[in-house]
Amino acid sequence: GDSVTQMEGPVTLSEEAFLTINCTYTATGYPSLFWYVQYPGEGLQLLLKATKADDKGSNKGFEATYRKETTSFHLEKGSVQVSDSAVYFCALSDYGQNFVFGPGTRLSVLP
Amino acid sequence: GAGVSQSPSNKVTEKGKDVELRCDPISGHTALYWYRQRLGQGLEFLIYFQGNSAPDKSGLPSDRFSAERTGESVSTLTIQRTQQEDSAVYLCASSLSGAGVGETQYFGPGTRLLVL
């Protein structure tokens, strides 16, 4: 079945550091890919998404590019802020059916 | 418009009791999902409703778990004879149709269940 693998956390960075959170997937079809974020005490919300190969999703300074050849959707940000501290979930949706989420990666950004 | 709402926000129960969790999706959303998130873990799919189709129950962990949805509105997740291992945050999400490519899920705040 479909699956999503994310890098193990927690990830701790200093403010203004570069962030990469790796995500790879396996899918039988041609999935859409998502990053969701869960800030402390809040519900999950969509951060960005991409629906086809080589698409780049971007939001709030975060970016991720759909790489079909490497089945990856790594999340990047050039300069993180304390307010980016959260848990980040990579997910896929195959033909709009049920979503499959990765285990989440906790990011802590220190001032 | 209003987002996905869930109630109660917190529930403490004794082992062996039944609990009922409620989800109100975004108006007009035909697809509704339930997930479980144990402490420090990722999301575990439980059940998926889409319109009038038969629900996808493949994620329900045991026959103690069941869910219903009335038309395209409210859904109720019921856990019978609760066990301590059921303690988790139960998340509900809805999406417009559940069939669109790249369709976004909108999550509720969750119900935090603690079984003593």
Side-chain angles (χ1 to χ4, degrees):
Chain A
D2 294 356
S3 67
V4 174
T5 303
Q6 287 180 239
M7 62 187 293
E8 294 281 336
V11 174
T12 303
L13 296 172
S14 297
E15 208 164 22
E16 299 183 2
F18 184 85
L19 168 71
T20 300
I21 301 178
N22 290 338
C23 171
T24 57
Y25 68 91
T26 59
T28 52
Y30 195 147
S32 297
L33 303 175
F34 304 79
W35 278 99
Y36 279 81
V37 59
Q38 188 174 32
Y39 296 105
E42 299 184 16
L44 271 82
Q45 54 187 276
L46 178 69
L47 180 60
L48 53 85
K49 68 181 181 183
T51 59
K52 61 183 188 295
D54 300 324
D55 267 4
K56 178 185 286 187
S58 61
N59 186 24
K60 300 183 181 180
F62 290 89
E63 293 183 340
T65 301
Y66 191 143
R67 299 291 188 199
K68 198 168 191 298
E69 64 277 13
T70 55
T71 61
S72 65
F73 194 54
H74 305 321
L75 182 69
E76 296 182 337
K77 186 173 184 180
S79 176
V80 292
Q81 306 299 311
V82 172
S83 56
D84 294 327
S85 297
V87 181
Y88 292 82
F89 293 90
C90 186
L92 68 81
S93 173
D94 210 343
Y95 294 108
Q97 294 173 10
N98 182 43
F99 277 55
V100 176
F101 284 82
T105 302
R106 182 175 299 278
L107 170 66
S108 294
V109 180
L110 305 178
Chain B
V4 178
S5 60
Q6 293 185 246
S7 61
S9 54
N10 290 280
K11 176 73 177 177
V12 180
T13 190
E14 293 179 348
K15 178 181 172 182
K17 301 281 190 184
D18 297 352
V19 295
E20 207 169 81
L21 312 180
R22 178 187 168 109
C23 172
D24 282 87
I26 293 173
S27 178
H29 281 194
T30 62
L32 187 146
Y33 310 76
W34 283 98
Y35 297 90
R36 178 169 67 180
Q37 186 179 25
R38 290 197 167 107
L39 187 64
Q41 304 294 312
L43 274 69
E44 179 185 358
F45 165 72
L46 297 177
I47 188 168
Y48 162 52
F49 296 90
Q50 184 189 10
N52 295 321
S53 303
D56 177 355
K57 303 180 182 180
S58 60
L60 295 179
S62 76
D63 58 8
R64 296 187 295 105
F65 288 73
S66 62
E68 293 184 349
R69 186 179 187 195
T70 307
E72 295 181 355
S73 59
V74 172
S75 176
T76 304
L77 177 69
T78 302
I79 309 173
Q80 296 178 310
R81 306 181 302 281
T82 52
Q83 304 293 313
Q84 289 179 331
E85 70 215 36
D86 300 333
S87 297
V89 176
Y90 289 83
L91 292 168
C92 176
S94 71
S95 66
L96 193 58
S97 71
V101 173
E103 194 167 275
T104 299
Q105 290 191 343
Y106 296 86
F107 282 82
T111 294
R112 188 175 301 276
L113 174 66
L114 178 61
V115 181
L116 300 176

